[in-house]
Amino acid sequence: MSILAIAFGFLVGVSLGLLGGGGSTLAVPILVYVAGFEPKQAIAMSLAIVGATALVGTITHAAHGRVSWRVAGIFAPLAMVGTFAGARLSVYFSGSAQLTLFAMVMLVGAGLMFRNGPSNSPADESRPPDLGGAKSVAIAVEGLVVGVLTGLVGVGGGFMIVPALVLLAGLSMKDAVGTSLLIIALKSATGFAGYLALVHVDWVFLGLFTAVASIGILVGTRLVRHFSQRGLRRSFAVFLVIMAVWILYQNHDVFLVSGA
């Protein structure tokens, strides 16, 4: 058991608390490259860690009225279906292929953060969500797509969910973060259930990592009001690019085999 890896769980929680996402993009590399788990184990365990941690954050955000239950009710059901399906589809991918796809999703997430990272502004004040017919369909479809990616590569998808909730549902940044955490908690639990019969889980490590991450998210949710969301998201986007390039380099054999 890696004490260092468990300590890194705090950063996973802080990321979720500050950004409403990003936990899995930290958790999977930590579990693989620091704790030494196989990719499929790491992906499965990251779903449990991020899901449980996001639930803690959801409770905190909900207590401050920063969760839109109506939007979550549209987004979450198809996201949960997609996540379970993605977990089951993972048997058709090698661990290296999953990590490679994970890195590519990180690059997409970095692009979304650079492009759509809203700033703290008067628009950050709470306001009713915009749930017109076409927008509700778009939100549900995005839920399905993000869900499948969650199941396949273990990403909570907050870096895709938060911009979608801001742009499609018209939520403020703070409400989008809180709502994203609820959606992540629900679909991550479903994805973890889909992996249980496929991988061995180190329950002791999982429990310790999750406990430390839960402390981190409590800290992150308290700190969120003191930081510029635009600055945070762009800084994290840079981190995502660096990590994605490194993971792609570590798994470059996938491209060599594909081209053979």
Side-chain angles (χ1 to χ4, degrees):
M1 181 184 299
S2 171
I3 301 300
L4 178 61
I6 291 173
F8 274 133
F10 183 76
L11 297 178
V12 172
V14 170
S15 169
L16 280 166
L18 285 173
L19 301 168
S24 299
T25 57
L26 291 173
V28 172
I30 290 169
L31 295 176
V32 173
Y33 299 111
V34 180
F37 288 104
E38 293 297 318
K40 289 186 185 296
Q41 283 180 292
I43 288 170
M45 292 170 66
S46 78
L47 289 171
I49 292 163
V50 171
T53 306
L55 180 59
V56 173
T58 299
I59 294 170
T60 303
H61 279 279
H64 293 87
R66 297 195 297 258
V67 174
S68 173
W69 303 98
R70 288 179 61 203
V71 174
I74 296 172
F75 198 110
L78 279 178
M80 293 168 71
V81 171
T83 302
F84 189 85
R88 291 299 183 173
L89 287 172
S90 69
V91 298
Y92 300 106
F93 293 79
S94 68
S96 292
Q98 283 179 279
L99 287 177
T100 299
L101 181 57
F102 176 82
M104 291 177 176
V105 172
M106 288 172 75
L107 291 174
V108 172
L112 287 172
M113 285 185 168
F114 272 120
R115 183 177 179 182
N116 297 326
S119 62
N120 289 337
S121 67
D124 247 9
E125 298 300 322
S126 296
R127 59 185 185 275
D130 180 3
L131 297 177
K135 289 190 176 181
S136 292
V137 172
I139 291 168
V141 170
E142 171 127 356
L144 181 63
V145 173
V146 173
V148 172
L149 285 174
T150 295
L152 274 177
V153 301
V155 293
F159 51 74
M160 291 182 283
I161 297 172
V162 171
L165 297 184
V166 171
L167 297 174
L168 296 178
L171 294 183
S172 69
M173 180 65 190
K174 290 178 181 178
D175 287 356
V177 168
T179 306
S180 170
L181 290 174
L182 172 60
I183 293 166
I184 289 170
L186 292 171
K187 66 190 183 66
S188 294
T190 306
F192 182 62
Y195 271 101
L196 275 178
L198 306 177
V199 300
H200 169 72
V201 176
D202 185 333
W203 293 100
V204 174
F205 179 93
L206 180 61
L208 289 172
F209 196 105
T210 302
V212 173
S214 296
I215 295 171
I217 199 168
L218 291 175
V219 174
T221 52
R222 286 185 176 273
L223 291 176
V224 68
R225 72 189 70 176
H226 302 297
F227 289 90
S228 159
Q229 288 297 298
R230 182 184 296 274
L232 280 173
R233 293 177 71 81
R234 289 189 172 179
S235 297
F236 195 76
V238 173
F239 172 79
L240 287 182
V241 171
I242 294 170
M243 285 299 300
V245 170
W246 189 72
I247 292 172
L248 288 172
Y249 173 75
Q250 291 291 319
N251 295 277
H252 65 276
D253 287 350
V254 170
F255 299 101
L256 296 178
V257 172
S258 298

